[in-house]
Amino acid sequence: MDAHDESWWMQFPEASDRFDRAYVLEGLSDLISPKIQAPLLRREVKIATDTVVRYLERPSSETRAEHAQDATARLTRTLDRIEERSTGAAISTDEAAILLTAARGNYAAAAAAATRLVGAARLQRLFVTALRLERFDIPMVLRLLDGGQTPAQAIQAGHLLGRYSWWPGWLLRVVTERALAGSLDEETIAALDRCAYAELSPTQANLARKLLSGNEGLIDTAAERLAGLGEPEAAGRLREGDLNAVALAARLIPL
């Protein structure tokens, strides 16, 4: 899996005003802190990140804000001192520097730098979970990210799929296919919604499923019937794969 730059990771906090910064910092600490080889440095990093997490959990607390500022300042001085005194066999401060970046609030830059250490998959799960969005399909978002979609695209699809999780299985499979193909948007969802069981009888829903699967013979038959019912434009759109035409065909043509 290719590494992503800071702008890629920035799409996560930009997608939700409920983005859980404390959860992300704590998660990054859990993933990266064990890789810090020097015990004293690892302990100081742990103290700093825990202090900032407590502040993020209660940002209105002036005392916690001061403690967080002091902790990050101390860690900064420690890393600067190590760099100044380093010689040939220097202590690696890369892992600690990543967590300091996160403690300062730059989670995107921290994630971009941490990918080589812990892998993108665990970081993506951490950031997606931190969105704290309701009616949100997290497994599908992760699948879309693995498939190469941007966070913005995947999160939008996760919103849409989460909202309509009550749809029947056959229709959700259609939606999943379109999401993976990158062709899922509000207009598509609205059209598919007309094909859901809430508006169609079982017979009509079965017809819609077959039309959406691309059954050419049935599409031709349905288009001819639509034209016979005075809907020639809808018949043409049906042959082109228009989703609204599928819904219209399913509603108007009894089998």
Side-chain angles (χ1 to χ4, degrees):
M1 185 179 296
D2 295 335
H4 301 294
D5 61 16
E6 182 177 345
S7 64
W8 192 91
W9 290 101
M10 183 61 70
Q11 294 176 60
F12 290 98
E14 289 176 347
S16 173
D17 56 7
R18 301 175 63 184
F19 188 74
D20 194 336
R21 290 161 174 77
Y23 178 81
V24 168
L25 179 55
E26 188 171 30
L28 287 171
S29 178
D30 290 342
L31 291 172
I32 299 172
S33 288
K35 299 182 180 298
I36 300 175
Q37 296 182 356
L40 292 178
L41 178 58
R42 183 167 62 247
R43 181 175 182 274
E44 185 165 341
V45 169
K46 180 66 173 173
I47 291 172
T49 54
D50 285 351
T51 302
V52 176
V53 166
R54 284 194 293 272
Y55 159 64
L56 293 173
E57 290 174 339
R58 192 184 298 174
S60 61
S61 171
E62 294 183 3
T63 299
R64 293 192 181 192
E66 291 175 0
H67 289 169
Q69 185 175 6
D70 291 343
T72 54
R74 176 178 174 179
L75 180 56
T76 299
R77 291 193 298 271
T78 297
L79 296 183
D80 289 343
R81 188 165 59 250
I82 292 174
E83 289 295 324
E84 291 171 359
R85 297 177 180 177
S86 66
T87 56
I91 297 175
S92 174
T93 59
D94 292 349
E95 298 84 1
I98 291 172
L99 288 174
L100 176 58
T101 298
R104 288 172 170 168
N106 196 340
Y107 311 104
T115 303
R116 62 180 177 80
L117 295 175
V118 300
R122 287 190 286 180
L123 291 171
Q124 287 174 183
R125 179 173 290 278
L126 176 66
F127 274 64
V128 170
T129 305
L131 293 171
R132 301 303 189 203
L133 297 172
E134 297 179 357
R135 295 190 296 174
F136 187 60
D137 193 331
I138 289 178
M140 176 52 66
V141 173
L142 293 172
R143 186 177 174 186
L144 294 174
L145 292 172
D146 288 341
Q149 293 194 21
T150 67
Q153 292 171 322
I155 291 168
Q156 180 192 38
H159 268 305
L160 295 173
L161 290 170
R163 188 189 312 167
Y164 295 100
S165 59
W166 55 270
W167 279 359
W170 67 265
L171 191 54
L172 288 176
R173 286 193 292 274
V174 172
V175 175
T176 298
E177 292 171 359
R178 291 177 180 270
L180 290 170
S183 59
L184 187 65
D185 53 26
E186 289 281 0
E187 184 178 355
T188 302
I189 284 287
L192 289 172
D193 194 32
R194 300 184 182 95
C195 298
Y197 278 116
E199 295 187 12
L200 300 179
S201 69
T203 299
Q204 290 172 327
N206 185 51
L207 170 61
R209 179 183 61 79
K210 292 178 180 178
L211 292 172
L212 289 169
S213 69
N215 186 313
E216 294 182 3
L218 187 56
I219 289 173
D220 286 340
T221 299
E224 290 174 3
R225 291 181 179 178
L226 274 177
L229 290 170
E231 295 285 349
E233 292 183 4
R237 293 198 307 273
L238 179 61
R239 287 194 170 94
E240 296 172 355
D242 182 84
L243 295 172
N244 286 299
V246 169
L248 179 62
R251 288 201 306 271
L252 294 184
I253 304 176
L255 294 181

